[in-house]
Amino acid sequence: MTQTTEAAVEAARAGKSSRIHRAWFVAAVTFVTIIGAAAFRSLPGLLFEPLNEDFGWSRGTVGAAVSVNLALYGLTAPFAAALMDRFGIRRVVAVALTIISIGSGLTVWMTAAWQLLLCWGLLVGLGSGSMALAFAATVTNRWFTERRGLVTGILTAASASGQLIFLPVLSWMVETHSWRPAAVTVSLAALAVVPFVWLLLRDHPADVGLKPYGAKEFVPKPEPVPGAARRAVTVLWKAARTGPFWLLAGTFAICGASTNGLIQTHFVPAAHDHHMPVTAAASLLAVIGVFDVVGTIASGWFTDRFEPRRLLAVYYALRGISLLFLPMLLAPSVHPPMLFFIVFYGLDWVATVPPTVALCREHFGDDSAIVFGWVLASHQVGAALVAFLGGVVRDVFGEYDMVWYASGALCAAAALMALVIRRPVVAPAGVAV
């Protein structure tokens, strides 16, 4: 389609301004897809006991596959963002869903531990990583000029809450019908989303003759960018020579350490140490996911109106304070102060994502989705480290108190790091400011 034709299509649509902009439908499809990707990642953590009963595999063996999945989820993101620039969003997401479906489905016939590593570790890790938050950043950057913070918040809520909300459902299925039907369900669900993505998702507003939402001028579709892997590494090399990148990566590593690595991994066993029933602790974790939706969307709204680095500082400071109080709140039963913590912490769970994406956009422009992919990789590294170290501390000291206090101190450091990030000034691309 030529620019003349594109302009004509745009003019034809101009009289229909009352209609909902196509960008919101694209965001809705992205929301559903990311929720699915998050749900797919919930199942591996539920396989420890069933696989031990069926095959005699140790927790370390199953944990190795989950660790590979977690690492690939983060490390795949920047390359996936580059692939979306090269081949388009629809193709990359459709292939990723197919890989998840194959990886999950093949587990039904596995008989050796290396097959678990291949299926859930490698295949599902690669597939879900291709639909990580870098996917949300790419869609937001292309389809929206206004309301970017709000849209980022909504899509981030899908990623964080999908895993927590679907966790009880998949847990019930594993306990009631064994792990194989749950794996098949995940496989079929992933495959079912493929035509939905292919028919409704579009790579760029220009594909349907529209301006991005809120844009004053028509934006032509950019040419495909060859050398996706090389571009991802090149962007990392350029970004790594700037101070803002390391500050963003450092704060986001602490974000992962104090959420996925800490609460999501260790809250249930820590509560059980205080004689709280596992089902009650898991339900509290799901409630965190519910309030995360509210907090993250609100954070996106705030990001459109306030300075992102100050929002980050506030979020990390409040999270650190809440973690310092947690050791005093754990008890055999759920009481009002614990419910207050759950609601408060849930509102802050991934509220850090919209301002982090906004700062990547401010400092790195067109490369921001790929840069955010690398920042997300640091998030997963932080999560993996604390998931492991938290268990070591529990084994050595017999309690988690030191873990909560150390995480609170890390959050305080992250708040200070966020304030150190300077606002960008007009300068050539790639130059640190």
Side-chain angles (χ1 to χ4, degrees):
M1 183 182 289
T2 63
Q3 275 193 276
T4 303
T5 307
E6 291 169 339
V9 173
E10 178 194 356
R13 294 174 182 265
K16 303 179 181 180
S17 57
S18 61
R19 295 180 59 184
I20 299 176
H21 195 285
R22 179 68 173 267
W24 294 108
F25 292 102
V26 172
V29 175
T30 305
F31 182 89
V32 172
T33 305
I34 292 176
I35 277 188
F40 306 148
R41 292 183 57 244
S42 299
L43 188 56
L46 303 175
L47 299 179
F48 284 91
E49 292 299 329
L51 294 180
N52 177 262
E53 294 175 2
D54 285 5
F55 302 106
W57 296 341
S58 68
R59 288 177 177 265
T61 299
V62 180
V66 177
S67 297
V68 171
N69 180 293
L70 188 65
L72 286 177
Y73 178 80
L75 294 174
T76 302
F79 296 97
L83 285 172
M84 289 176 189
D85 287 341
R86 175 67 178 88
F87 298 105
I89 298 174
R90 280 197 307 170
R91 293 179 181 177
V92 173
V93 173
V95 170
L97 287 167
T98 303
I99 291 174
I100 289 174
S101 179
I102 293 172
S104 180
L106 287 177
T107 59
V108 176
W109 292 283
M110 66 183 179
T111 57
W114 67 266
Q115 294 165 349
L116 176 66
L117 194 69
L118 173 65
C119 295
W120 275 108
L122 181 62
L123 294 180
V124 177
L126 287 173
S128 58
S130 297
M131 295 183 296
L133 295 178
F135 169 38
T138 300
V139 170
T140 303
N141 289 348
R142 291 186 181 185
W143 280 90
F144 292 86
T145 298
E146 295 181 354
R147 303 290 188 270
R148 280 177 167 175
L150 176 63
V151 175
T152 302
I154 293 172
L155 298 183
T156 300
S159 177
S161 299
Q163 188 170 354
L164 296 176
I165 292 171
F166 282 103
L167 188 61
V169 177
L170 291 175
S171 176
W172 170 84
M173 184 173 291
V174 169
E175 291 181 1
T176 306
H177 303 288
S178 183
W179 64 272
R180 285 185 174 87
V184 171
T185 300
V186 169
S187 177
L188 294 177
L191 204 58
V193 177
V194 173
F196 183 67
V197 167
W198 192 259
L199 293 175
L200 299 179
L201 193 63
R202 290 295 180 267
D203 295 329
H204 196 278
D207 290 340
V208 289
L210 291 174
K211 299 179 293 185
Y213 179 82
K216 300 187 183 303
E217 298 180 356
F218 185 84
V219 178
K221 183 177 181 179
E223 294 295 324
V225 181
R230 183 174 64 253
R231 185 182 177 212
V233 175
T234 301
V235 169
L236 172 63
W237 177 253
K238 289 170 57 180
R241 290 182 288 175
T242 69
F245 172 80
W246 290 108
L247 290 169
L248 288 169
T251 56
F252 222 46
I254 293 173
C255 179
S258 56
T259 53
N260 300 71
L262 180 67
I263 296 296
Q264 188 172 335
T265 303
H266 295 293
F267 178 79
V268 172
H272 191 57
D273 283 348
H274 289 75
H275 309 294
M276 181 182 291
V278 172
T279 53
S283 297
L284 290 176
L285 199 59
V287 172
I288 287 177
V290 173
F291 281 94
D292 164 70
V293 175
V294 179
T296 310
I297 293 174
S299 176
W301 187 86
F302 289 140
T303 301
D304 288 330
R305 290 160 175 79
F306 301 102
E307 190 177 346
R309 66 191 186 99
R310 293 186 178 178
L311 288 176
L312 278 182
V314 171
Y315 295 155
Y316 284 121
L318 292 176
R319 183 185 300 177
I321 292 171
S322 68
L323 289 173
L324 294 177
F325 281 98
L326 183 57
M328 296 178 282
L329 302 178
L330 292 169
S333 60
V334 179
H335 48 84
M338 172 58 80
L339 289 175
F340 179 80
F341 168 83
I342 292 298
V343 172
F344 184 87
Y345 189 89
L347 293 172
D348 194 274
W349 178 267
V350 284
T352 56
V353 174
T356 300
V357 172
L359 287 169
C360 286
R361 190 183 301 121
E362 286 182 8
H363 285 276
F364 303 103
D366 293 338
D367 292 331
S368 62
I370 299 177
V371 173
F372 180 70
W374 287 112
V375 172
L376 176 62
S378 72
H379 181 282
Q380 296 304 106
V381 171
L385 285 174
V386 170
F388 169 72
L389 293 175
V392 172
V393 170
R394 170 62 177 79
D395 290 339
V396 173
F397 296 99
E399 61 181 17
Y400 280 101
D401 287 5
M402 185 178 295
V403 180
W404 309 128
Y405 296 140
S407 297
L410 283 175
C411 289
L416 293 175
M417 291 166 65
L419 291 175
V420 172
I421 301 173
R422 295 182 179 179
R423 300 196 67 176
V425 296
V426 178
V431 177
V433 295

